[in-house]
Amino acid sequence: MKVIKVKDYEEMSQVAVQILLGYMYKDGRVNLSITGGTTPKRMYEILIPYVKDKKQFENVHYYNFDEIPFKEENREGVTISGLRKLFLTPANIKEENIHILDQFNYEVKDEMIKKDGGLDCILLGLGWDGHFCGNLPHTTRFGDGTVRVNCDEKLKERLIDEFDDPKDIPDYYITMGPRSIMQAKNLVMIASGTKKADAVKHLISGEVNENYPATLLTLHPNFTLIIDEDAASLL
Amino acid sequence: MKVIKVKDYEEMSQVAVQILLGYMYKDGRVNLSITGGTTPKRMYEILIPYVKDKKQFENVHYYNFDEIPFKEENREGVTISGLRKLFLTPANIKEENIHILDQFNYEVKDEMIKKDGGLDCILLGLGWDGHFCGNLPHTTRFGDGTVRVNCDEKLKERLIDEFDDPKDIPDYYITMGPRSIMQAKNLVMIASGTKKADAVKHLISGEVNENYPATLLTLHPNFTLIIDEDAASLL
Amino acid sequence: MKVIKVKDYEEMSQVAVQILLGYMYKDGRVNLSITGGTTPKRMYEILIPYVKDKKQFENVHYYNFDEIPFKEENREGVTISGLRKLFLTPANIKEENIHILDQFNYEVKDEMIKKDGGLDCILLGLGWDGHFCGNLPHTTRFGDGTVRVNCDEKLKERLIDEFDDPKDIPDYYITMGPRSIMQAKNLVMIASGTKKADAVKHLISGEVNENYPATLLTLHPNFTLIIDEDAASLL
Amino acid sequence: MKVIKVKDYEEMSQVAVQILLGYMYKDGRVNLSITGGTTPKRMYEILIPYVKDKKQFENVHYYNFDEIPFKEENREGVTISGLRKLFLTPANIKEENIHILDQFNYEVKDEMIKKDGGLDCILLGLGWDGHFCGNLPHTTRFGDGTVRVNCDEKLKERLIDEFDDPKDIPDYYITMGPRSIMQAKNLVMIASGTKKADAVKHLISGEVNENYPATLLTLHPNFTLIIDEDAASLL
């Protein structure tokens, strides 16, 4: 585990961009799985002008690592829609370089990624409760690959913020599990703000257990954690 | 996880030799951590003539990953003594290429290995109870690095076979923990015989938990498991 | 450059097998380009039983690096026919794992190999005149990729031994050029016998020039040369 | 060869920074060899604030790849002095992370670098005459490692610009040769401006010969060339 402590959200975003670009400049196919949500917002803002319409990145392929479908399933899910808006569309990424995980292919997705040569890097956020991707505490086990997680009422409540209309909240969502994430060649996690400080404390403490799922990732041989001062405030 | 099913102990030994040699032929320094015990006996028999006095392997360094000291601590411990007898001495490995983990350096060993460039490969055996190195169930946690494990009476009983004289049984032993092992670039595990079949079943089942410590290793991005037909008999 | 000096042809063959197997055990797709001719004969004899019908090598793909077509072009060329006889057929390699270079695809072959993820290892022989693949002195330049080499009478004479019927000798042959070979991740060259001693001397001398095309390969960051005592007799 | 065409000097500098940072964020020791001169000036300006006093780069070590000693040899040479001024001093790089090549150690430098684990990346400039490092046309051969180049009057003239006082011009200089440079894991070359356009044309043409020494580098399996529109103007 390499821990990079930075000053603030801005520097965290910049360092994340630099690390991602490092993988993207590789010759030959590069497979990245990238996170949506609010934490990477500034990162994508910085990244987009470096990537948009640049021939040198035609070899880079993008994968979403979880998906919350709309209940009606008549449109793309919350994660990929969010990634399109945040990054894929403003960066003009070609459709053939976008590899969607959804409720229709999740059972074969791990095998598909392996055939594509595996993921070179996954960029992940960290939840205040220690979750990563859709691996909320006690929804998946360390041994799980990409799975469908059924939502009880409590889980549905946590999804409310993702939807304008609560009728769209689905009965399940899809996520790459701990096993799938650990297969990547490199993992990079970003965390910013005091709301993440408790989860960060658990990551750094050395413990590894399913109450804080992201603690597992600290065991990956190439795991980089980027935290700002607020996220590091409980260390 | 790559699972290689072979016919018998002889073929398992041969495949393990081939995989080890693959790492050893690399140019530049190569760091290997290798297992003692009975499982690798034939493997070392096959390996020794390929390695003994061969200039092309002068770049290979060897590390033990656990150590059971003699109670009196007036001589080298059980693990390194065993490795010397099995392999290091008959293969004429130079003393400067042997890097001993023991009760005197275990607290700084993880850092030392990192400075040496990290381990290219660890070759591990599998215990019938799912242990690896000295990580017997409930002696270490997934988050532990290289540690000292204090022996209660039950643990001391399990050490009896390692000693000619029970008065030599120590009050503690040393082991690289799950965290240390997961930092290696590649892991190779060998298992032979029906006695290992139950542990192998747990490894393949997809579960990952501290009751069967080796299940964690299946999450490593470069984990190879070599099992013979007997070890695979419960799959 | 890593030079491995061995006793004789038998040991050279064995070491080459061990190095090849090292690459083949990798998880995920492995791309190998392998040599025909007489030098690797014993190597393939040793290799075949380790590979034949082994599930663990289903991820290994094979490429020929040159081709001498029959003049009539109504059957597969000399190189791939030879490789089939020496190795691919007795080892039961599936047709989908065999990637043929020939007169019909040589112009796009470098691009095809790049799309396949590049070559993990090329195993090459060494000509008495310092040639490798079809890169005889003054037939190709260091900067050439995969090319068609037109045969003058002198070149045709050198091809006589490859054909039962001299009427089959073609007007040209195909070879991966120095540029294509240098793009591989690893290069392994084998040389045995006093007939190769002069070429080996040039390789070790430090010179790099087109009179001895193989001298270029000594500049590759991962080049391993395996030579027996006879081949090393002029050093 | 990966060719990255950018708009201008500013973008070339930025892309070079991004590629360098990509290597620098690696966990474990990273060895970089970096260029002095005028081309990388803006690159270092951009790089310095990202690197200065950053704990995450304590694992990065720096190497100069050539050296022009002062005739009197009573102070550090031109190259390392220049690198200090351009980058090492303003970025507060610790002395223990600076590995100097000079007239006193050049004969053992290739071996020293190998012991350090090899160079992860060399960042090179391109001369208008196709030279790289101190490998001016016909001063070194492709097969040369790190060498001392004796200066005739013509070569001394070319060194004039490097010295305030012509009495300081030495009788020889030191350079890593083509063989040493090719041993690095990755090569990155930057070229900006119409003065470099002819040399760039030769690099892209596919030829490889000692009249344009840098043409050799296009054969390295991981060679990236960054050129701006002016440098690409003859393509």
Side-chain angles (χ1 to χ4, degrees):
Chain A
M1 171 161 50
K2 178 164 188 165
V3 181
I4 302 179
K5 286 184 201 166
V6 297
K7 202 174 168 312
D8 52 20
Y9 179 66
E10 180 68 20
E11 193 182 352
M12 181 203 77
S13 304
Q14 197 175 65
V15 167
V17 162
Q18 290 167 349
I19 293 179
L20 274 190
L21 284 171
Y23 293 114
M24 293 167 70
Y25 277 112
K26 213 188 73 175
D27 201 6
R29 180 170 178 149
V30 174
N31 298 326
L32 297 183
S33 189
I34 53 175
T35 185
T38 50
T39 305
K41 218 170 163 181
R42 177 66 185 135
M43 182 192 80
Y44 288 125
E45 278 175 23
I46 302 172
L47 187 61
I48 287 163
Y50 295 140
V51 174
K52 189 181 175 183
D53 301 329
K54 300 289 183 192
K55 235 176 108 67
Q56 63 259 39
F57 297 127
E58 281 182 349
N59 55 319
V60 182
H61 293 249
Y62 300 91
Y63 297 75
N64 60 315
F65 51 54
D66 57 21
E67 189 51 276
I68 309 170
F70 284 85
K71 181 141 190 180
E72 288 302 319
E73 305 197 347
N74 53 355
R75 48 188 150 158
E76 283 194 336
V78 167
T79 302
I80 193 69
S81 306
L83 280 173
R84 287 190 188 279
K85 218 165 127 184
L86 271 170
F87 174 67
L88 299 171
T89 302
N92 258 1
I93 304 301
K94 284 186 194 157
E95 205 53 36
E96 68 206 61
N97 287 34
I98 302 173
H99 303 264
I100 296 176
L101 162 70
D102 62 22
Q103 64 269 40
F104 308 115
N105 66 11
Y106 75 95
E107 289 173 301
V108 294
K109 195 66 185 180
D110 289 337
E111 204 46 50
M112 286 167 73
I113 287 174
K114 195 170 177 184
K115 270 197 186 138
D116 288 348
L119 295 172
D120 292 277
C121 180
I122 307 182
L123 177 89
L124 307 121
L126 172 67
W128 58 267
D129 57 351
H131 83 256
F132 63 96
C133 314
N135 299 281
L136 279 73
H138 310 298
T139 58
T140 59
R141 308 295 311 268
F142 280 168
D144 286 339
T146 298
V147 293
R148 176 177 147 152
V149 175
N150 292 319
C151 299
D152 56 18
E153 288 312 308
K154 234 165 125 187
L155 257 182
K156 283 188 186 180
E157 258 169 63
R158 292 196 57 177
L159 295 179
I160 282 179
D161 292 349
E162 310 283 353
F163 292 89
D164 294 328
D165 183 343
K167 275 181 297 187
D168 285 331
I169 299 176
D171 297 324
Y172 64 87
Y173 65 80
I174 304 299
T175 187
M176 284 177 68
R179 181 178 296 277
S180 318
I181 297 297
M182 290 290 283
Q183 297 316 296
K185 295 187 186 74
N186 298 280
L187 302 181
V188 178
M189 179 171 270
I190 50 177
S192 168
T194 51
K195 271 179 30 184
K196 305 295 173 70
D198 186 63
V200 166
K201 195 184 68 177
H202 284 278
L203 250 69
I204 302 288
S205 72
E207 69 178 302
V208 171
N209 66 63
E210 292 176 336
N211 296 324
Y212 292 85
T215 54
L216 175 70
L217 307 186
T218 67
L219 300 183
H220 190 283
N222 298 304
F223 176 66
T224 300
L225 177 65
I226 315 171
I227 48 177
D228 65 11
E229 285 182 3
D230 285 345
S233 58
L234 296 181
L235 300 183
Chain B
M1 171 163 48
K2 178 164 186 166
V3 181
I4 301 179
K5 288 186 201 165
V6 297
K7 199 173 171 312
D8 52 21
Y9 178 66
E10 180 69 18
E11 194 183 352
M12 182 203 74
S13 306
Q14 197 177 66
V15 167
V17 163
Q18 290 167 349
I19 292 178
L20 274 190
L21 284 170
Y23 293 113
M24 295 167 68
Y25 276 112
K26 211 188 73 171
D27 201 6
R29 180 169 178 150
V30 175
N31 297 327
L32 296 183
S33 189
I34 53 175
T35 185
T38 49
T39 306
K41 220 172 163 180
R42 177 66 185 135
M43 182 193 78
Y44 288 125
E45 280 175 21
I46 302 172
L47 187 61
I48 287 163
Y50 294 139
V51 174
K52 190 181 175 182
D53 301 329
K54 299 290 182 190
K55 235 175 110 64
Q56 64 258 39
F57 297 126
E58 281 181 351
N59 54 320
V60 183
H61 293 250
Y62 300 91
Y63 296 75
N64 61 315
F65 52 54
D66 57 22
E67 188 52 277
I68 309 170
F70 283 85
K71 182 143 192 180
E72 289 302 320
E73 304 197 350
N74 53 358
R75 48 187 148 157
E76 284 194 333
V78 168
T79 301
I80 193 68
S81 308
L83 280 174
R84 287 190 187 281
K85 217 165 127 183
L86 271 171
F87 173 67
L88 299 170
T89 302
N92 259 1
I93 304 301
K94 285 185 193 158
E95 205 55 35
E96 68 207 62
N97 289 32
I98 301 174
H99 303 264
I100 296 177
L101 162 69
D102 62 21
Q103 65 270 40
F104 308 115
N105 66 10
Y106 75 95
E107 289 173 300
V108 294
K109 196 64 186 183
D110 289 337
E111 205 46 50
M112 288 166 73
I113 287 175
K114 195 169 175 181
K115 270 197 187 139
D116 289 348
L119 295 172
D120 292 279
C121 181
I122 307 181
L123 178 88
L124 309 120
L126 173 66
W128 59 266
D129 57 353
H131 82 257
F132 63 97
C133 314
N135 299 283
L136 279 71
H138 310 297
T139 58
T140 58
R141 306 296 310 267
F142 280 167
D144 285 340
T146 298
V147 292
R148 177 177 147 152
V149 175
N150 292 319
C151 298
D152 57 17
E153 288 312 307
K154 233 165 127 188
L155 257 182
K156 282 188 185 179
E157 257 170 65
R158 291 197 56 177
L159 294 179
I160 283 180
D161 292 349
E162 310 283 351
F163 293 90
D164 294 331
D165 184 343
K167 275 181 298 187
D168 286 331
I169 298 177
D171 297 324
Y172 64 86
Y173 64 82
I174 304 299
T175 187
M176 283 177 70
R179 183 179 294 279
S180 317
I181 297 298
M182 289 290 283
Q183 297 315 296
K185 293 188 190 73
N186 298 280
L187 303 180
V188 178
M189 179 170 269
I190 50 177
S192 167
T194 51
K195 270 178 34 182
K196 305 295 174 71
D198 185 61
V200 166
K201 194 183 68 177
H202 284 278
L203 251 69
I204 302 286
S205 72
E207 71 179 297
V208 171
N209 67 64
E210 292 176 334
N211 296 324
Y212 292 85
T215 54
L216 176 70
L217 308 184
T218 66
L219 299 184
H220 190 283
N222 299 303
F223 176 66
T224 301
L225 177 66
I226 315 171
I227 48 177
D228 66 10
E229 284 181 3
D230 284 347
S233 58
L234 293 182
L235 300 182
Chain C
M1 168 162 53
K2 179 165 187 163
V3 181
I4 302 179
K5 287 185 200 165
V6 297
K7 201 175 171 311
D8 52 20
Y9 179 67
E10 181 69 19
E11 194 183 352
M12 182 204 76
S13 305
Q14 198 175 64
V15 167
V17 162
Q18 291 168 349
I19 292 178
L20 274 190
L21 283 171
Y23 294 113
M24 293 167 68
Y25 276 112
K26 211 189 74 173
D27 201 6
R29 178 167 179 151
V30 175
N31 298 326
L32 297 183
S33 189
I34 52 175
T35 185
T38 50
T39 305
K41 218 170 163 182
R42 177 67 184 136
M43 182 193 79
Y44 287 125
E45 279 175 22
I46 302 172
L47 186 62
I48 286 163
Y50 294 140
V51 174
K52 188 182 177 183
D53 302 328
K54 299 291 182 189
K55 232 175 113 65
Q56 63 259 39
F57 296 127
E58 281 182 350
N59 54 319
V60 182
H61 293 250
Y62 300 91
Y63 296 74
N64 60 315
F65 52 54
D66 58 21
E67 188 52 276
I68 309 169
F70 284 85
K71 181 141 191 179
E72 289 300 321
E73 305 197 348
N74 52 356
R75 47 188 150 157
E76 285 194 332
V78 167
T79 302
I80 193 68
S81 307
L83 280 174
R84 288 190 187 279
K85 217 166 130 184
L86 270 171
F87 174 66
L88 299 170
T89 302
N92 257 1
I93 304 302
K94 284 184 194 159
E95 205 55 36
E96 67 207 63
N97 288 32
I98 302 173
H99 302 265
I100 295 177
L101 162 69
D102 61 23
Q103 65 270 41
F104 308 115
N105 65 12
Y106 75 95
E107 288 173 300
V108 293
K109 195 65 184 182
D110 289 337
E111 204 46 50
M112 287 166 73
I113 287 174
K114 195 169 176 183
K115 272 201 185 135
D116 289 349
L119 295 173
D120 291 279
C121 181
I122 307 181
L123 178 88
L124 309 120
L126 172 66
W128 58 266
D129 56 353
H131 82 257
F132 63 97
C133 315
N135 299 283
L136 279 73
H138 310 297
T139 58
T140 58
R141 307 295 312 266
F142 279 167
D144 286 339
T146 298
V147 292
R148 177 176 146 152
V149 174
N150 292 319
C151 299
D152 57 16
E153 288 313 307
K154 232 163 127 189
L155 258 181
K156 283 189 186 180
E157 256 169 63
R158 291 196 57 176
L159 296 178
I160 282 178
D161 291 349
E162 311 283 352
F163 292 89
D164 294 329
D165 184 344
K167 275 180 299 186
D168 285 331
I169 299 176
D171 297 324
Y172 64 87
Y173 64 82
I174 304 299
T175 186
M176 283 176 71
R179 181 179 296 277
S180 318
I181 296 298
M182 290 290 282
Q183 297 315 296
K185 296 188 186 72
N186 298 279
L187 303 180
V188 178
M189 179 171 269
I190 50 178
S192 167
T194 51
K195 270 179 29 186
K196 305 296 173 72
D198 185 63
V200 165
K201 196 183 67 177
H202 284 278
L203 251 68
I204 303 289
S205 71
E207 70 177 300
V208 171
N209 67 65
E210 292 176 335
N211 296 323
Y212 292 86
T215 54
L216 176 70
L217 307 184
T218 67
L219 300 184
H220 190 282
N222 299 303
F223 175 67
T224 300
L225 176 66
I226 315 170
I227 48 177
D228 66 11
E229 284 181 3
D230 284 347
S233 57
L234 294 182
L235 300 182
Chain D
M1 171 162 50
K2 178 165 186 164
V3 181
I4 302 180
K5 288 184 201 167
V6 295
K7 199 172 170 318
D8 51 21
Y9 179 65
E10 180 68 19
E11 193 182 352
M12 183 204 76
S13 306
Q14 197 176 65
V15 167
V17 164
Q18 291 168 349
I19 293 178
L20 274 189
L21 284 171
Y23 292 114
M24 294 167 69
Y25 276 112
K26 212 188 74 174
D27 202 6
R29 179 169 179 148
V30 175
N31 298 327
L32 297 184
S33 190
I34 52 176
T35 185
T38 50
T39 306
K41 219 171 164 180
R42 177 66 186 138
M43 182 192 79
Y44 288 125
E45 279 176 23
I46 303 173
L47 186 61
I48 287 163
Y50 295 140
V51 173
K52 189 181 176 183
D53 300 330
K54 300 291 181 190
K55 235 177 109 66
Q56 63 259 36
F57 296 127
E58 281 181 351
N59 53 319
V60 182
H61 292 249
Y62 300 91
Y63 296 75
N64 61 314
F65 52 55
D66 57 22
E67 189 51 278
I68 309 170
F70 284 84
K71 181 143 192 179
E72 288 302 320
E73 303 198 350
N74 53 356
R75 48 187 148 157
E76 284 194 333
V78 167
T79 302
I80 193 68
S81 308
L83 280 173
R84 288 192 187 279
K85 217 166 129 186
L86 271 171
F87 173 67
L88 299 169
T89 303
N92 259 0
I93 304 302
K94 286 186 193 156
E95 205 54 37
E96 68 206 61
N97 288 33
I98 301 173
H99 303 265
I100 295 177
L101 161 69
D102 62 21
Q103 64 269 41
F104 308 115
N105 66 11
Y106 75 94
E107 289 173 302
V108 294
K109 195 65 184 183
D110 289 338
E111 205 45 51
M112 288 167 73
I113 287 175
K114 194 168 176 184
K115 270 197 185 139
D116 289 348
L119 296 173
D120 292 278
C121 180
I122 307 181
L123 178 88
L124 309 121
L126 173 66
W128 58 267
D129 57 352
H131 82 256
F132 62 97
C133 315
N135 298 283
L136 279 71
H138 309 298
T139 58
T140 59
R141 307 295 312 267
F142 280 167
D144 285 339
T146 297
V147 292
R148 177 176 145 151
V149 175
N150 292 318
C151 299
D152 56 17
E153 288 312 308
K154 231 164 125 188
L155 258 181
K156 283 188 186 179
E157 258 169 63
R158 290 197 57 175
L159 295 179
I160 284 180
D161 293 348
E162 311 282 352
F163 293 89
D164 295 329
D165 183 343
K167 276 181 296 188
D168 286 331
I169 298 177
D171 297 324
Y172 62 87
Y173 64 82
I174 305 298
T175 186
M176 286 177 67
R179 182 179 295 278
S180 317
I181 297 297
M182 289 291 282
Q183 297 314 298
K185 295 186 187 72
N186 298 280
L187 303 181
V188 178
M189 179 169 271
I190 49 177
S192 167
T194 50
K195 271 179 31 184
K196 305 295 173 72
D198 185 62
V200 166
K201 195 184 69 178
H202 284 279
L203 251 69
I204 302 288
S205 72
E207 69 179 298
V208 172
N209 68 65
E210 293 176 336
N211 296 324
Y212 291 86
T215 54
L216 176 70
L217 307 185
T218 67
L219 299 184
H220 190 283
N222 299 303
F223 176 66
T224 301
L225 176 66
I226 315 171
I227 48 176
D228 65 11
E229 284 182 4
D230 284 347
S233 57
L234 294 182
L235 301 182

